[in-house]
Structure formats: structure tokens, C-alpha cells
Amino acid sequence: HPCVGISNRRAMHRVVRHLLDLGHRQFAMVSGDPEHNERARSRIEGVMDAFALADVEFRSDRIYYGPYSIEAGREALRKAMALKPRPTALICATDLLAAGALAEARAMGIQVPQQLSISGFDDIEIASLLDPPLTTLQVRTSEIGRASGEALLAAIKGKVSPTVEIET
């Protein structure tokens, strides 16, 4: 069956590459549970791939799992800031998690981005309202919807559509 979507793995690789290019070497991550969520699993794999390619150590015990919620982002930030060495960048698997982490950083007196970089994923509408503005990866959902509709119409007509990967 044809598929329309993004490569979560490749997208997270871009996020890590951006943070590495900024000079970060100490990281933590917050994600949804990958056990029954292919997207969460692919995003984590993308992060691990990027660190391996860059020859930067990143241990899986620096990944925090929870629901996709603001509170889970807040809790992950508290746990991450207790790590030794402390991370200089927190990779969030969604903007909602990043919003929570950003709020908790403010509550803890941690300056973003001077003391900690926080990245999101999805570029949801609320991301533009956050202060400081959130570094996030845009997922072009309208384009995914359009391409999915075209594939469905083609299938109704008996045509087979190719798999389409939308760039982030």
C-alpha cells in the first residue's frame, strides 16, 4: 500500500545535527513511549543514529518517557537538570513536551537559550507564541493531507500511487 508522510528518523537526525552544529555535546531527550508508537520509536532511532554518526556519546538512560503533555515536559526538564553532567540541550519529541520544558526552565530560573537549548518537533500553532521562540521542526500537515487525498482518489480509480515522503 502506498504511504504518505514524513521520515521521523531523518527529521530527528536534522534536529540533532543542528544542535551539534551549535556546539552542544551534553544532551537529554523527552519522548512518548516507543513500545507501541512507531513515530516515537523512529524519532528516538533518528536521535541515536545522528549521535553515532557524529561520534558523540549519548546514553539511552538520558531519554525520559511519558505522555505527550506539558506536564511530562516539565517533569522531564526537572529530571534532566539533575543529571551530571547537566545537559546543554533538551531534545523534545513534540512541541507540547517542549512547551512544558520551557515553562519549567523559566520556573527554575534556567535561561533559554543561554544556559539550555530546547528543541521541539511539529511546529504546532502554540510554538509561535512561546517566549523565547521555540526551535522546532515543521511538519507540513496540509501537504500530507493533500497528497493523502490524491492517493485515495487514485486508489478509488484503480490506480496505484507511489509512496510519498514529505520534507520537514
Side-chain angles (χ1 to χ4, degrees), residues 20 24 35 43 84 95 102 104 129 145 164:
L20 289 168
H24 293 285
E35 187 174 344
R43 290 178 190 184
K84 301 288 187 230
D95 288 348
L102 188 59
E104 190 63 24
L129 303 175
V164 177

Side-chain angles (χ1 to χ4, degrees), residues 30-32 66-70 72-74 90 92-102 118:
V30 57
S31 173
Y68 292 117
S69 69
I70 289 173
R74 293 184 80 117
L90 179 66
C92 299
T94 68
D95 288 348
L96 203 55
L97 291 167
L102 188 59
I118 298 174

Side-chain angles (χ1 to χ4, degrees), residues 4-129:
V4 176
I6 65 166
S7 170
N8 286 283
R9 191 176 194 143
R10 204 169 4 269
M12 274 307 230
H13 189 277
R14 289 180 60 201
V15 170
V16 171
R17 185 75 257 156
H18 173 72
L19 293 168
L20 289 168
D21 288 346
L22 291 174
H24 293 285
R25 293 299 178 269
Q26 297 298 325
F27 296 87
M29 181 180 184
V30 57
S31 173
D33 184 356
E35 187 174 344
H36 301 291
N37 186 324
E38 183 271 332
R39 287 178 294 186
R41 192 169 38 257
S42 291
R43 290 178 190 184
I44 293 166
E45 289 168 353
V47 167
M48 300 305 275
D49 288 350
F51 285 126
L53 284 171
D55 200 27
V56 172
E57 181 184 6
F58 181 71
R59 297 187 331 257
S60 60
D61 63 346
R62 292 176 77 95
I63 303 174
Y64 301 99
Y65 302 100
Y68 292 117
S69 69
I70 289 173
E71 185 52 41
R74 293 184 80 117
E75 183 179 334
L77 190 274
R78 288 190 297 270
K79 290 178 180 177
M81 291 298 99
L83 292 170
K84 301 288 187 230
R86 232 180 182 192
T88 61
L90 179 66
I91 301 165
C92 299
T94 68
D95 288 348
L96 203 55
L97 291 167
L102 188 59
E104 190 63 24
R106 186 177 300 114
M108 294 175 69
I110 298 167
Q111 294 180 322
V112 176
Q114 296 85 351
Q115 295 175 298
L116 177 70
S117 289
I118 298 174
S119 66
F121 192 108
D122 292 323
D123 196 22
I124 61 174
E125 191 173 0
I126 195 174
S128 67
L129 303 175

